[in-house]
Amino acid sequence: MIPLRFSTDADFGAVRALLAAHDFTDSGLCARMGVASIYDVQIRGAAHTVATSADGLDVLRQLFIDCAPVEDAVAVAHLGTDGVALLARLGLLIHDGGTMRATMLLYPNGSLYLVSDLPPGAAPAGDGAGADAVYPALTSSVRVFLSTLPHGDGARYLELCSGTGVAALLAAQQGAARAVAVDITERSTRVAEFNARLNAVALDARQGDLYDPVAGEQFDCIVAHPPYVPAAAQQFIFRDGGADGEQISRAIVARAPEFLAVGGILHVTCLVTARRNAPPRQRVREMLGDAADAFDVALLENGVSDQYAHFVKQLVAASPEEVPGMLSQLRLFNSLQVERVELVTIVARRHGEARPGFAVATPRNADTRWPEVAWLLQMHAFLMLGDRALDRLLEARPRLSPHVQLDLSYRFVPADDERWVPSGGMLTVPYPLVSKVSVDAGDAAFFASCDGSRTFAQIMAQLQAEGKLPADLAPRSYMTPLASLVALGVLETDLLPFPRRSA
């Protein structure tokens, strides 16, 4: 049974005030624990030693982050009799002899307060979660998922595999027209409802299998951070994603065309396998089925996993009973011709235009947020105009990205005037996309001349006048490679300027 109790709005408001009063916030916890981000906070697991506390922030951290018991008298001294009683009334604390123990994790996440299940071994007897445990929204993968979410303002927002409901809750805070959180387990549904009350936001939490609870409805944003760990048998609902890890995310992508409105965004952070002659971006388009051309797809690459090393590690630690299932899973990967496993965020936009969709893949970095992703989609949709895009770019004013770095290579030329001669180089661009472009010394000089004062057409005319370009070079032929550099973020134009760098 879930230990949480749904009390009055006044009690939930009092809890928020109590936590804020003791600086139980992102900044307060990070400063106290000496970490840079709330996602660097380590959940301690089962701490059985009674903690000593200097103030209310210490007490809250020890109870709800360290999972450590705190003496009744110490908790009352720092949180007050009413504060302790309030937390107990909501089912967040229980008396255990002469100490207080947390029944759930409780932590800040940006503008939200969230509860989720304690780690294995830390829950009081009878209150522990099993296969339906609600996973904490404090992991690096959750951070990646949340970092590029579309803004919820005015949107009909659906979060699938919602767990704590963190994405739907953020959308509701941002002014979503409607925020719906769906999870297959009753436990997660109840936790999402509790978190909505805790944050005083309107959330519609529903229990069911993926889209079933929203049959017949349409949404502007569908987001999900589904279970994606390859597993021969399901042990934890929040973690295991079928034999190839794609079972749930594949179903989310495949049915999205039924529920996503024109102009809407699908955003899924998951695992996708790269298979022989089938890279992930191709496979995601195939998941969309007959509706693939109605979508523009961007794959944000979050990292590559060596799945076979993972299998070896699992086999070494496995019991004799587990080995056959793992070997069967390894054989499946071989039969599917899996070459690597990529952690990605799938972003698919239903473009609603009379053209085929595109699919691009790009690495993300710590600065990648939704404005950068939206710029990427807008840029590639613009380039789908073909010659019309080239003609419009010809009249745009290019400027070398202020974020670019040039690394030149030199070769030694033995001669009377022995000297080093530039032999090539690499332009590295970290923003708005992560990209690298091979260049030579002449390219570098050209890029430096792009200062935003002249159009591509004017630069072309000057280069032709100087004899550096053929006089009969067609403007579109000149613009074709330059359009690629604009798309990569090497050159910025006044036609499609970069987004303002996100905080």
Side-chain angles (χ1 to χ4, degrees):
M1 292 179 60
I2 196 164
L4 300 173
R5 301 193 193 106
F6 288 74
S7 187
T8 64
D9 288 344
D11 275 354
F12 280 107
V15 169
R16 293 193 298 274
L18 175 71
L19 299 176
H22 292 287
D23 201 18
F24 192 66
T25 60
D26 276 19
S27 58
L29 270 176
C30 289
R32 180 60 55 92
M33 301 182 77
V35 295
S37 163
I38 196 67
Y39 296 100
D40 298 324
V41 169
Q42 296 295 312
I43 304 297
R44 301 295 177 87
H48 300 291
T49 303
V50 177
T52 56
S53 310
D55 56 18
L57 178 56
D58 264 355
V59 170
L60 292 168
R61 173 181 63 84
Q62 289 155 0
L63 285 169
F64 296 114
I65 303 293
D66 294 346
C67 308
V70 174
E71 290 181 353
D72 289 350
V74 173
V76 168
H78 293 300
L79 301 181
T81 302
D82 291 344
V84 171
L86 174 66
L87 293 168
R89 196 156 57 245
L90 291 177
L92 292 167
L93 287 183
I94 60 167
H95 290 279
D96 184 9
T99 64
M100 303 295 298
R101 286 182 178 271
T103 64
M104 303 285 286
L105 295 177
L106 169 63
Y107 45 90
N109 186 311
S111 57
L112 296 171
Y113 284 112
L114 299 172
V115 303
S116 55
D117 276 309
L118 296 171
D127 283 331
D132 62 348
V134 182
Y135 200 60
L138 282 181
T139 64
S140 58
S141 61
V142 172
R143 181 182 195 171
V144 167
F145 169 59
L146 297 180
S147 67
T148 52
L149 283 179
H151 200 274
D153 187 22
R156 296 167 294 176
Y157 218 94
L158 171 64
E159 181 182 10
L160 299 175
C161 307
S162 58
T164 62
V166 58
L169 290 166
L170 284 171
Q173 275 194 340
Q174 294 163 352
R178 180 160 54 99
V180 181
V182 172
D183 198 281
I184 197 169
T185 73
E186 180 182 1
R187 193 176 187 91
S188 287
T189 306
R190 294 288 284 169
V191 166
E193 290 173 344
F194 187 93
N195 285 333
R197 294 283 301 279
L198 182 59
N199 291 281
V201 298
L203 178 71
D204 183 357
R206 307 183 194 179
Q207 182 186 355
D209 189 5
L210 298 182
Y211 295 100
D212 289 353
V214 294
E217 299 182 46
Q218 289 275 288
F219 296 90
D220 304 302
C221 292
I222 300 174
V223 305
H225 184 206
Y228 55 74
V229 173
Q234 188 179 71
Q235 182 180 2
F236 292 106
I237 295 172
F238 68 80
R239 184 192 68 184
D240 301 329
D244 64 355
E246 296 181 356
Q247 177 180 323
I248 301 169
S249 46
R250 192 161 50 234
I252 291 170
V253 174
R255 294 191 64 192
E258 300 175 46
F259 299 91
L260 197 63
V262 172
I265 298 292
L266 173 69
H267 179 284
V268 185
T269 296
C270 60
L271 170 155
V272 177
T273 56
R275 305 180 184 183
R276 190 174 302 168
N277 300 319
R281 62 180 177 179
Q282 175 185 330
R283 299 200 58 249
V284 170
R285 284 188 61 80
E286 291 170 354
M287 291 176 193
L288 287 163
D290 293 340
D293 274 342
F295 285 84
D296 294 332
V297 176
L299 247 63
L300 310 179
E301 299 167 342
N302 303 322
V304 177
S305 173
D306 185 343
Q307 195 60 32
Y308 291 99
H310 173 70
F311 277 127
V312 171
K313 184 177 179 181
Q314 282 190 317
L315 283 168
V316 169
S319 66
E321 296 78 14
E322 293 172 321
V323 169
M326 292 179 184
L327 290 176
S328 175
Q329 192 179 7
L330 181 56
R331 293 189 190 99
L332 172 67
F333 269 63
N334 284 331
S335 69
L336 294 174
Q337 299 182 325
V338 174
E339 296 181 337
R340 65 185 183 279
V341 173
E342 295 192 11
L343 300 175
V344 302
T345 296
I346 299 167
V347 182
R349 178 179 178 271
R350 188 165 203 156
H351 57 71
E353 300 171 9
R355 62 169 174 83
F358 60 78
V360 296
T362 184
R364 69 174 298 280
N365 63 20
D367 293 319
T368 307
R369 299 290 185 270
W370 175 248
E372 288 73 46
V373 179
W375 179 87
L376 170 66
L377 292 170
Q378 181 186 14
M379 172 61 71
H380 283 272
F382 171 73
L383 293 179
M384 292 296 289
L385 296 173
D387 287 347
R388 285 186 293 159
L390 297 178
D391 293 344
R392 291 180 62 188
L393 277 176
L394 192 65
E395 302 305 319
R397 298 176 184 274
R399 180 175 72 102
L400 183 64
S401 166
H403 310 291
V404 75
Q405 175 180 316
L406 172 62
D407 296 308
L408 284 175
S409 299
Y410 292 80
R411 61 183 176 86
F412 184 69
V413 179
D416 293 340
D417 58 339
E418 294 183 343
R419 59 196 177 97
W420 292 93
V421 176
S423 60
M426 184 71 68
L427 278 176
T428 303
V429 185
Y431 184 87
L433 307 173
V434 180
S435 57
K436 292 186 177 182
V437 180
S438 297
V439 297
D440 58 29
D443 294 329
F446 167 77
F447 290 136
S449 71
C450 296
D451 59 6
S453 64
R454 298 176 298 165
T455 66
F456 278 115
Q458 290 169 332
I459 296 173
M460 178 183 177
Q462 179 182 337
L463 293 174
Q464 287 176 319
E466 295 172 352
K468 295 178 180 178
L469 285 179
D472 60 350
L473 179 66
R476 288 174 179 170
S477 298
Y478 162 74
M479 281 307 306
T480 297
L482 295 177
S484 298
L485 295 175
V486 173
L488 290 171
V490 174
L491 295 173
E492 181 183 17
T493 72
D494 52 346
L495 184 61
L496 289 169
F498 297 158
R500 294 181 60 187
R501 194 158 189 167
S502 306

